[in-house]
Each structure stands twice: as structure tokens, then as C-alpha cells.
Amino acid sequence: MAGSFHVVGIGPGDPELITRKAERLIGAASVVAFHAGVRKESHARRIAAHLVPADAVEEELRYPVTTGTTDHPGGYVGALADFYDDCEARLAVHLEAGRDVVLLAEGDPLFYGSSMYLVDRFRDRFAVDVVPGVPAFAAATATIPAPLVRQDDVLTVLPGTLPEPELARRLADTDGAVIMKLGRTFPAVRSALEQAGRLEGAMYVERASQPEERWLPVAEVDEASVPYFSLIVVPGDSARPATAARLRAAEPAPVVEEVPQRPSRDPRAAELLVIGLGPGPDGWLTPEATAALAEVQHVVGYAPYVNRVPQRPGLQRHASGNTVEVDRARFALDLALRGERVAVVSGGDAGVFGMAAAVFEAAADPAHPEHASVPVRVLPGVSAIQAVAARAGAPIGADFAVMSLSDRLKPWPVVERRLRAVAEADLVLGIYNPASRSRREQVVETQKILLEHRSPDTVVVVGRDVGRAEESLTVTTLGGLDTDAIDMKCLLIVGASYTRVEPNGTVWTPRWVE
């Protein structure tokens, strides 16, 4: 009968933080395994030394490398893959012989732990038992001591190995945070905290729960002295007083029994900006938009668009899903009503199937008369249809129409009626939102409707992710359009009867009609 594989969390360093279950399993183990760094004593073995039976077989799993530098032909990843292959083979010998193996894991085994790779390898071959342990960040929080998160605060755990801009973005978008994997990453982590406006209140904790433990503000840490066994705690509401205010702003307004007269402008309200970010490249962001984004305190929008705004000190970003436009607009209006400088962002041009209309809709809602007092200014951006048309040549150089195939805000019969009107008028047609994973039939029906009035040879331009690294542009015909290949990343331009394609592939529509 095969043995069992027990992975036991032994906590961050203090032997008294080892759980009773872990203590029992280690004390009864016939084989005890533990990881060790290059030319270093095993930290895990040292923590549990008093529990390891004298007659137990010990398997030291010593890393061949602990940084990204190695002469292994497969690089760092290849060296570690070979290492885990060797660990698996060594421990499997014991398990196949019927001996139980206890693997010591610092902190919690499945929280950034090396043991998880052996769990993955053994779970389908042997009985696997994982015993949770006290994670290092819990010990660090207790060391300070300071509450990490309260009430509705969101906690984010981040590896310091993330790219600095990404780390700064995520720090700005959360309440409480824990940053692991410091060591050589500390200078970039400190910079990210500063960019996110989270440096003040961030605490550095080294060797939590161990005799050598120390803690101090991150701003006071000598970056040359930071070991791997350290982390940063960024408390939630205590370090970010705006959290409570932000939560209050997100709460729905109370139901008003009688709608009062709309007030004149509230003198406390700040101007709300609605900004078009363009289709993607930074070069397509207007200087006006860039200057405005450098001044605001809050950016509100659909997550992929919010993520395009660089993080900086003093900026809070509020990302949400793709179908809550009016709620998002109300949230931004509430912030502006309190005097906060706010920008609502959209991809492309905010006025073309973007957030501008949603903001004005929310501001005109009689259930929230206070929003009417907020001044709103729309800053234009390069629209997606302009970008696709420019890549193709000049297909919208004459009269054209623009439509969205999404029927989320209008019934499909309305879309059909408008498609027929555009087709009969022989206008160039730009089509936004042609298809999604759950909405496939609309683009098929659109092709059929247009073919009732247009030749199958009518020029069609399909732009996908125009302006981004994965950009593609396809020139086809209405009859040859592959609707299965169309999704939300595409924008279509259906030519008029007189739209031309030159031998070099340039598409253009003459300004005159014969």
C-alpha cells in the first residue's frame, strides 16, 4: 500500500505558531522533507527542528538556483523544472514503498509556497493531505500591530516581482494590500507605492515572528538591507481615509418621495470631465486629454479603459464592468458633487457609443436632482471608426452612417429598420459592436439584410484591435464576409456602391456621386 503525502504549514518562523495537527504529523513521520536555499540552512527545518523524530529519514530538497541567473540551457524555468522532477522522483520512492512523507512548508503551503508544485505532481498518484499554516502576512500584521482591512475593505496580495507600473496600478485600486517577494525588488516596490499615493502608512516587516524581527515605515527602509524574508503591509482604511467616503459615494441614494425642482449649480461641485482615450495607442490620446488626466483626483470607467490611465500620486481609479454605465456615471457625479476632480473615461471618442451620453442621462434623472448642478464637459477623442478608416485609406470620405448592432439598449426590430434605411440610401456604414460570445446572430442577420439591397461585391473593411500590437485589417466583400470570425474586437465598414479598392489595397469612397 502506498504512503501518504502530507504537506504541513509550519508558519512564518515562531515554532509556537505551528498548529497542533502539523505537530502531530511531523512527530509521527517516517520521512521528513524540506526545501533549502543555495548554500543556506533550511529555514523550514530550523523552525520544526524540535519536532523531527531522531529516526526519521530526512530529504533535503536544495534549490539549484534562487534567482533568474543560471547557465542551465532552459534558463531559470528549465532549471527549476528539472529540480522539481528530481524532488518528485526522490519522494515518490518513499511513497511507493509505503512510507508516509511529511513536507515542511514555511507559512501556508499553498500561499506562494514551493510545496504546491509537488502537490500538483502527486495529487493524482498518492493520497495528499495539506495542513494550512499561519501565513507570513498574518504574523506581520500582528507584529505592527495594525488592522489590515475593516468592514468592506478589499485586500489585495501582490508579488513585488510585478512590473512597476502594474504594481502601482493595483495598489491604487485596492484598500488594503500585502506585498510579498521583496529583496532585490524593494526599490521598484517603493517607487510603485509612491506613484500610487500609498507610501504614507505603508509598513515594512522583516522576519515576522522570529527573534530577529523588525518593522518600520517603508519610507525609512535602507533598500540595501532588505532580505527575502520581508514584506510590506499597506493597511486599508487607516492608511486611506478616502475609502469610507468612496464607499458612501457608491451607496444608492435614498428614495425621494417628491422630486423637488432641479437646483442651480451647487457651488461646491467640481466640473466633471468625460474623456475619450482614443482606440488604444498613447500617440492617439489628445494633448487636451493628457493634460486633463494629469490634474484629476479620480478616474472612473470600464476596467480596460481605466487601466490605460497611468498611475500617479493622488490619483484614485474606480474600475467597473461593461454593463453598468449609468451607475458608473452616478458614482462620478456624486464624487464631483463633493468637489472632487473627476474624469469619466471611454475608449475611442466618449460621444460615440461611449460614456458621454450615459453621464448626461444620469445627470437628467429626476430621481437624483442634485446631479443637475454638476457641470459636465466632454473632451473628444479619436473614434474607432476614424482609426479603422485611416488604416484602410478613406472609406468614409463621403456621406456615411454609424450604427451599433448591440440590442441591449434598443430592440432588434429597430436595428433592422435602420439597417434597411441605410442600405436603401446607399450610404457607407460603420458597424460597432458587431458580435460577442453570447450575441452571434445579429451580424449574420445584418449581412442578409444588406445583401437584399447591396451587391455581394460591395467592399467591406474589417478592422480588429486597430492601433494595438495584435492589429489586423481585412478587405473583403459583403458576400464573402466570414461572420464566424467577427467579435467585439472588430469594427466593420461596409462601403457604398461606389466605394473603390485600388490595386494596392487602398479603400476609398469618392466625394462625388455620379
Side-chain angles (χ1 to χ4, degrees), residues 244-334:
R246 190 173 79 245
L247 291 171
R248 286 195 298 272
E251 292 175 355
V255 177
V256 180
E257 295 296 332
E258 295 184 7
V259 178
Q261 291 293 319
R262 291 178 179 267
S264 58
R265 175 180 173 182
D266 189 324
R268 298 169 299 175
E271 182 180 53
L272 175 61
L273 302 177
V274 188
I275 300 177
L277 300 177
D282 292 341
W284 289 354
L285 182 66
T286 69
E288 179 187 36
T290 300
L293 290 170
E295 297 295 327
V296 297
Q297 298 164 298
H298 302 264
V299 172
V300 178
Y302 177 40
Y305 303 144
V306 170
N307 293 347
R308 287 171 52 191
V309 180
Q311 186 56 53
R312 57 174 170 77
L315 178 66
Q316 294 186 37
R317 304 194 299 179
H318 310 272
S320 53
N322 196 29
T323 58
V324 290
E325 293 92 344
V326 176
D327 290 340
R328 186 186 301 147
R330 290 192 184 114
F331 175 71
L333 288 163
D334 281 337

Side-chain angles (χ1 to χ4, degrees), residues 76-100:
Y76 178 77
V77 173
L80 285 186
D82 285 352
F83 167 68
Y84 286 116
D85 285 345
D86 179 65
C87 294
E88 178 185 8
R90 287 169 57 187
L91 299 186
V93 170
H94 296 292
L95 294 167
E96 289 168 352
R99 293 186 288 272
D100 290 349

Side-chain angles (χ1 to χ4, degrees), residues 42-57:
S42 170
H43 187 55
R45 174 65 173 77
R46 181 171 63 85
I47 296 171
H50 64 294
L51 299 175
V52 177
D55 58 348
V57 176

Side-chain angles (χ1 to χ4, degrees), residues 364-388:
D365 185 354
H368 299 274
E370 68 280 5
H371 290 161
S373 67
V374 177
V376 177
R377 181 160 59 101
V378 180
L379 278 56
V382 176
S383 67
I385 191 171
Q386 289 175 292
V388 173

Side-chain angles (χ1 to χ4, degrees), residues 111-197:
F111 184 76
Y112 291 123
S114 300
S115 57
M116 67 179 70
Y117 301 108
L118 290 173
V119 170
D120 290 340
R121 290 163 180 258
F122 285 147
R123 73 170 81 232
D124 295 329
R125 298 172 57 190
F126 305 104
V128 173
D129 174 36
V130 178
V131 179
V134 176
F137 76 84
T141 305
T143 292
I144 296 176
L148 185 53
V149 283
R150 303 185 190 188
Q151 298 177 336
D152 295 328
D153 283 353
V154 173
L155 172 65
T156 302
V157 179
L158 301 164
T161 50
L162 282 176
E164 187 176 321
E166 177 69 5
L167 188 59
R169 179 185 71 79
R170 290 177 179 268
L171 284 166
D173 290 346
T174 191
D175 299 306
V178 170
I179 308 174
M180 314 286 293
K181 302 179 183 290
L182 296 183
R184 295 178 304 159
T185 68
F186 182 82
V189 171
R190 187 192 184 285
S191 175
L193 282 163
E194 190 168 16
Q195 293 173 46

Side-chain angles (χ1 to χ4, degrees), residues 7-67:
V7 184
V8 298
I10 55 176
D14 183 351
E16 292 186 343
L17 293 179
I18 298 176
T19 65
R20 293 175 62 182
K21 182 174 182 179
E23 181 177 355
R24 174 176 58 80
L25 288 171
I26 297 170
S30 55
V31 179
V32 176
F34 45 85
H35 289 90
V38 179
R39 296 183 298 277
K40 293 181 180 179
E41 176 190 6
S42 170
H43 187 55
R45 174 65 173 77
R46 181 171 63 85
I47 296 171
H50 64 294
L51 299 175
V52 177
D55 58 348
V57 176
E58 297 190 26
E59 290 282 1
E60 181 185 72
L61 311 176
R62 184 170 293 276
Y63 294 105
V65 60
T66 54
T67 69

